[in-house]
């Protein structure tokens, strides 16, 4: 009999423990504001800061956005383009100096096998490659800034369960052919 009372007392205590847990003072229930983001605060200057940091030092905006995996891509693209720019400029100057020394009457023995037109075309080739590589350096630098700006703006973009875009396939009422469409649902 004693065991039954103690087991019943334990069941009563454990069964009613949620009642005792509710004895704390709760705040009044307030309606939830669905327009305010609870997880991420929106700072309108974050994209501008990321773009500014990337303009100062390429890759710094990506670090500000915590997208560390993009930093090697930024430096790889800019560094490779810069390498080809420097190499093309060096080759251009070598062929230009060889052509100038040949015109001055002091031909370079390293380039004796090339004619004057070949030296001129080599100069033009390397000058064009240097210009293109310079444009690529500038393009990747600007792309770095744009990437940091857009990435910082998209971090703050509201993506939750209230937004959905789903494909929809419905049969036509007359011909019974499938109509393909897209629905946009927004729940308040």
């Amino acid at each position: 009999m004693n065991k039954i009372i103690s087991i019943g007392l334990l069941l009563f205590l454990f069964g009613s423990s949620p009642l005792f847990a509710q004895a704390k003072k709760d705040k009044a229930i307030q309606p939830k504001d669905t327009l305010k983001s609870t997880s991420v605060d929106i700072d309108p200057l974050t994209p501008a800061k990321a773009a500014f940091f990337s303009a100062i030092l390429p890759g710094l905006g990506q670090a500000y956005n915590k997208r560390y995996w993009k930093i090697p891509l930024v430096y790889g693209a800019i560094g490779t383009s810069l390498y080809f720019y420097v190499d093309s400029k060096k080759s251009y100057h070598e062929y230009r100096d060889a052509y100038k020394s040949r015109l001055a009457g002091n031909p370079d023995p390293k380039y004796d096998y090339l004619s004057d037109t070949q030296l001129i075309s080599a100069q033009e080739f390397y000058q064009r490659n240097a210009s293109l590589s310079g444009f690529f350096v500038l393009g990747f630098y600007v792309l770095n800034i744009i990437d940091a700006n857009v990435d910082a703006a998209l971090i703050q973009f509201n993506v939750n369960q209230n937004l959905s875009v789903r494909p929809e396939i419905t049969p036509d009422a007359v011909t019974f052919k499938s109509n393909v469409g897209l629905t946009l649902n927004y729940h308040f």
Side-chain angles (χ1 to χ4, degrees), residues 83-101:
Y83 168 78
F84 283 120
Y85 174 78
V86 170
D87 187 53
S88 295
K89 274 299 207 187
K90 182 181 138 200
S91 297
Y92 165 74
H93 286 293
E94 285 178 4
Y95 283 107
R96 186 192 66 180
D97 292 343
Y99 181 69
K100 282 185 174 181
S101 65

Side-chain angles (χ1 to χ4, degrees), residues 10 15-16 34 38 41 43 53 64 84 87 103 106 109 120 136 153 169 172 174-175 181:
L10 282 174
S16 62
T34 58
T38 57
D41 293 332
D43 182 14
F53 290 151
Y64 177 74
F84 283 120
D87 187 53
L103 289 179
N106 188 13
I120 291 172
F136 276 111
I169 301 174
D172 189 12
V174 177
T175 62

Side-chain angles (χ1 to χ4, degrees), residues 21-48:
Q22 296 295 324
K24 295 180 184 178
K25 292 183 180 179
D26 289 336
K27 294 182 180 179
I29 297 175
Q30 296 177 356
K32 184 179 176 184
D33 188 2
T34 58
L35 296 178
K36 289 185 180 178
S37 176
T38 57
S39 63
V40 177
D41 293 332
I42 295 175
D43 182 14
L45 294 179
T46 300

Side-chain angles (χ1 to χ4, degrees), residues 23 33 74 93 150 153 156 181:
D33 188 2
V74 168
H93 286 293
V150 170
Q156 300 178 21

